């Protein structure tokens, strides 16, 4: 394993490009990061940043690098070369692999960041040994990825795993995607903060602890602050996380009906709440599961690799595909 080829993984978000040199055991041997202008209008700015990260990582190792894997937050075409749409960047049908290929003398593989994360958890994290794995990432919205029979399932057009836009409430809350009642409007970091802010704006006395934590400024409230309050025992924060968990369990039961995995891995920032979130999710899942009481029940577990799952998975996918030829 020590002599197995290394790969570089790049994780691209709306405001940062993080990179690392990753070995075949999923260990990150070197790391670097660059900030990018928020919602930059120029694809070239982000591409320049990626190239800068790759060059720094290459200069910092004396071992051979086999390939570069890129995990991008957006729709990546099935060719694993083109970013069809990235909501937080200016990429629209951007031929990313071609653009970078002329500047980086290594094989390049592009993937959705959630696909990279689920692969990392499958290979090295909470999903080790599980052949049928679904990952649900709870952040600002909800993303996800699927591994079935040990393969990432990307879909015919490369856009599988957009779980957050399953409709769970007909004519429900309007979503940024344009539809109503999407799952991420009820089980995400945005949903958690929105519900707390609504109570704060209404002047409810039950949110006094949260008011104190943000100095009376509801607009400064964040998901991590709600989670911190819940851990400190605040009843309202615990209730809000429990409600998010309930919706999480309902959506997971729908995914179980469609995909029948052995394990659901829950990642993303909101998952830091641990059993304050996952306990209610498991309960709702059991109540909602089709055929409950007469079928095996998937495990629901917390992700293990945290913020590095994207770059670790991107690197390992690139290494795997480069070796496959």
């Amino acid at each position: 394993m020590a002599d197995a080829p290394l790969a570089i993984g790049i994780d691209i978000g709306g405001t940062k490009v993080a990179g690392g040199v990753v070995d075949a055991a999923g260990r990150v041997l070197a790391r670097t990061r660059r900030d990018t202008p928020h919602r930059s209008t120029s694809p070239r700015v982000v591409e320049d940043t990626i190239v800068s990260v790759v060059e720094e990582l290459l200069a910092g190792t004396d071992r051979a690098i086999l390939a570069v894997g890129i995990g991008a937050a957006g729709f990546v075409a099935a060719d694993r070369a083109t970013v069809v749409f990235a909501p937080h960047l200016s990429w629209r049908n951007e031929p990313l692999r071609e653009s970078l290929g002329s500047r980086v003398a290594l094989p390049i593989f592009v993937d959705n960041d959630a696909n990279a994360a689920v692969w990392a958890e499958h290979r090295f994290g909470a999903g080790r040994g599980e052949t049928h794995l679904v990952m649900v990432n709870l952040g600002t919205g909800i993303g996800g990825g699927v591994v079935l029979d040990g393969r990432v399932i990307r879909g015919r057009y490369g856009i599988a795993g957009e779980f957050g836009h399953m409709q769970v409430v007909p004519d429900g809350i309007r979503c940024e995607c344009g539809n109503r009642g999407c799952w991420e409007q009820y089980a995400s970091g945005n949903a958690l903060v929105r519900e707390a802010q609504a109570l704060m704006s209404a002047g409810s006395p039950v949110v006094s602890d949260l008011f104190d934590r943000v100095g009376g400024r509801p607009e400064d409230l964040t998901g991590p602050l709600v989670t911190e309050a819940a851990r400190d025992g605040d009843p309202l924060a615990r209730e809000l996380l429990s409600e998010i968990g309930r919706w999480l369990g309902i959506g997971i039961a729908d995914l179980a009906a469609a995909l029948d995995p052995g394990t659901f891995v829950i990642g993303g920032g909101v998952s830091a709440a641990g059993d304050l979130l996952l306990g209610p999710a498991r309960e709702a899942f059991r109540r909602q599961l089709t055929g409950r009481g007469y079928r095996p029940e998937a495990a629901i577990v917390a992700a293990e690799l945290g913020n590095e799952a994207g770059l670790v998975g991107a690197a390992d996918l690139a290494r795997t595909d480069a070796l496959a030829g």
Side-chain angles (χ1 to χ4, degrees), residues 4 44 60 64 79 102 107 200-201 240 278 306 310:
R44 181 77 179 193
D79 63 5
S102 62
M200 296 170 94
S201 297
L240 291 173
L278 298 186

Side-chain angles (χ1 to χ4, degrees), residues 200 207-222 225:
M200 296 170 94
V207 290
S208 59
D209 181 54
L210 294 179
F211 256 121
D212 292 343
R213 288 173 188 265
V214 295
R217 294 172 54 85
E219 64 272 19
D220 290 342
L221 189 67
T222 64
L225 279 175

Side-chain angles (χ1 to χ4, degrees), residues 139-140 183-196 240 244:
T140 304
W183 190 25
E184 68 178 40
Q185 293 303 313
Y186 300 87
S188 67
N190 272 359
L192 179 65
V193 171
R194 183 191 66 232
E195 293 302 303
L240 291 173
I244 296 297

Side-chain angles (χ1 to χ4, degrees), residues 64-118:
I65 302 293
L66 183 64
V68 176
I70 295 174
F75 295 169
V76 177
D79 63 5
R80 297 186 62 201
T82 306
V83 181
V84 177
F85 171 75
H88 303 296
L89 297 167
S90 56
W91 288 335
R92 304 292 184 268
N93 290 311
E94 180 68 21
L96 185 59
R97 185 165 69 187
E98 179 182 337
S99 299
L100 295 175
S102 62
R103 306 173 66 186
V104 176
L106 287 168
I108 295 171
F109 298 88
V110 184
D111 224 318
N112 171 266
D113 58 345
N115 288 341
V118 71

Side-chain angles (χ1 to χ4, degrees), residues 277-324:
L277 174 80
L278 298 186
R282 293 182 184 113
E283 292 175 12
F285 174 72
R286 293 186 188 109
R287 289 196 303 269
Q288 199 77 15
L289 184 63
T290 302
R292 52 195 172 274
Y294 297 95
R295 59 172 287 174
E297 212 175 273
I300 299 173
V301 301
E304 293 181 359
L305 299 181
N307 291 333
E308 292 197 324
L311 72 86
V312 169
D316 198 67
L317 282 168
R319 175 183 20 254
T320 300
D321 288 347
L323 288 172

Side-chain angles (χ1 to χ4, degrees), residues 24-88:
R27 295 182 293 249
V28 182
L29 307 181
R31 299 170 177 82
T32 191
R33 174 189 169 114
R34 301 280 193 283
D35 292 333
T36 55
H38 185 53
R39 294 186 182 273
S40 169
T41 58
S42 170
R44 181 77 179 193
V45 170
V46 182
E47 289 160 14
D48 288 347
T49 307
I50 295 169
V51 171
S52 173
V53 166
V54 171
E55 288 176 342
E56 178 182 334
L57 291 171
L58 287 172
T61 181
D62 56 2
R63 289 176 58 186
I65 302 293
L66 183 64
V68 176
I70 295 174
F75 295 169
V76 177
D79 63 5
R80 297 186 62 201
T82 306
V83 181
V84 177
F85 171 75
H88 303 296

